[in-house]
Amino acid sequence: MTPPLLTVSDLVVQYHRSGAPPVRAVAGVSLDVGPGEVVGLVGESGCGKSTLARAVCGLTAPAEGRIDFDGTPVRPLGVRRRDPALTRVQMVFQDPYGSLNPRRQIGAQIADGIRTAAERGEPTDGTTPQQYLTRVGLPESAAARYPHEFSGGQRQRIAIARALAARPRLLVGDEPISALDASAQAQVATLMRSLAVESGAGLLFISHDLSVVRLIADRIAVMYLGRIVETGSTAEVWDAPRHPYTKALLAAVPRADGAGILPTELPGDVPDPAAPPAGCRFHPRCPAAFDRCAREEPQLIAGGVACHLYAASDHGLQPLRSPH
Ligand code: SF4
């Protein structure tokens, strides 16, 4: 079996605030991504997804647990410094305009990516910035233009071309489609998938939008308030969700197969990560909560669910109570 490219084990990332206890934005997460595999990480904003992405890229130090990329521990070197080996992990951010230099031509910015790979000691394969542009569906002439001359979707394609030019083994997309209009979202997500899979790189695709993640991911991990609450193949999570939070996320997605069924809004808001609820973090919003839920935090069990409604058994997950 091919070893994973990325292994995240019992990761805790916390933010320090003056005069107050630290906030655990990521509170014990384990996750892996294999070569050529697309893993979708979904959850509402504020659930810790972006903090996890920054830690994976070596931009934030873990408080506990570990991250291994290609068999080597990921360690941040300090503010704004990254281990050169980590340039094989490339991130595509939410705001493509903010991540591109407005004063430099597109071709020069993609050439930076090519130089990054060369500085790492990788033999060049001769691909030019213009060729990277055509791979993301833009004309070669875009190389001589500037970021403001493009639409949001085109700018995100440019950001992807620049990331690809650094010849990553892992692409991390942190809400890469949420600033785009609806027509560009699926196109950019599908493009990221095909480019990652073609090159044998892994893709960790982070989004609050389960309907887009479903289009491109092989596996889905659902995150709530710093913890993974459900994980499984895309078909399992989309067609037969088990965790009440996953069910609520799905109910909030407008579905073409619903024959007019209106999406249901998720009840309440994500609690403050500085003061997570005792027991199951989802219990104040959970329609299936019972007395044990407020007392005891459920762990992610074999079968991929963290919920007291289920127990692991030799035959997979065993429901202990009706979820309704
Ligand atoms: Fe709901 Fe309890 Fe399961 Fe948490 S553990 S999701 S509160 S049923």
Side-chain angles (χ1 to χ4, degrees), residues 132-153:
Y132 279 112
L133 284 166
T134 58
R135 283 179 67 187
V136 298
L138 292 172
E140 292 191 355
S141 59
R145 294 162 65 192
Y146 291 85
H148 73 267
E149 299 179 60
F150 297 90
S151 69

Side-chain angles (χ1 to χ4, degrees), residues 99-153:
S99 65
L100 294 169
N101 185 331
R103 294 193 191 84
R104 294 181 70 212
Q105 287 177 323
I106 300 302
Q109 300 195 51
I110 296 174
D112 288 345
I114 296 173
R115 216 163 14 253
T116 298
E119 284 167 3
R120 217 168 45 223
E122 290 204 16
T124 174
D125 65 0
T127 308
T128 62
Q130 287 80 359
Q131 287 168 325
Y132 279 112
L133 284 166
T134 58
R135 283 179 67 187
V136 298
L138 292 172
E140 292 191 355
S141 59
R145 294 162 65 192
Y146 291 85
H148 73 267
E149 299 179 60
F150 297 90
S151 69

Side-chain angles (χ1 to χ4, degrees), residues 19-52:
V23 177
R24 290 184 139 209
V26 177
V29 163
S30 297
L31 182 79
D32 57 56
V33 182
E37 184 182 38
V38 179
V39 175
L41 182 64
V42 294
E44 292 164 283
S45 89
C47 73
K49 309 183 298 291
S50 294
T51 306
L52 177 66

Side-chain angles (χ1 to χ4, degrees), residues 147-171:
H148 73 267
E149 299 179 60
F150 297 90
S151 69
Q154 289 170 327
R155 284 199 286 264
Q156 200 58 300
R157 286 171 186 268
I158 294 164
I160 294 166
R162 188 182 56 181
L164 281 181
R167 304 191 36 203
R169 292 213 66 208
L170 178 69
L171 269 177

Side-chain angles (χ1 to χ4, degrees), residues 243-245 280-283 286-290 293 296 298 306-309:
H243 196 283
Y245 178 59
C280 172
R281 291 162 178 243
F282 188 54
H283 88 261
C286 180
F290 57 106
C293 303
E296 201 181 313
C307 173
H308 294 315
L309 296 173

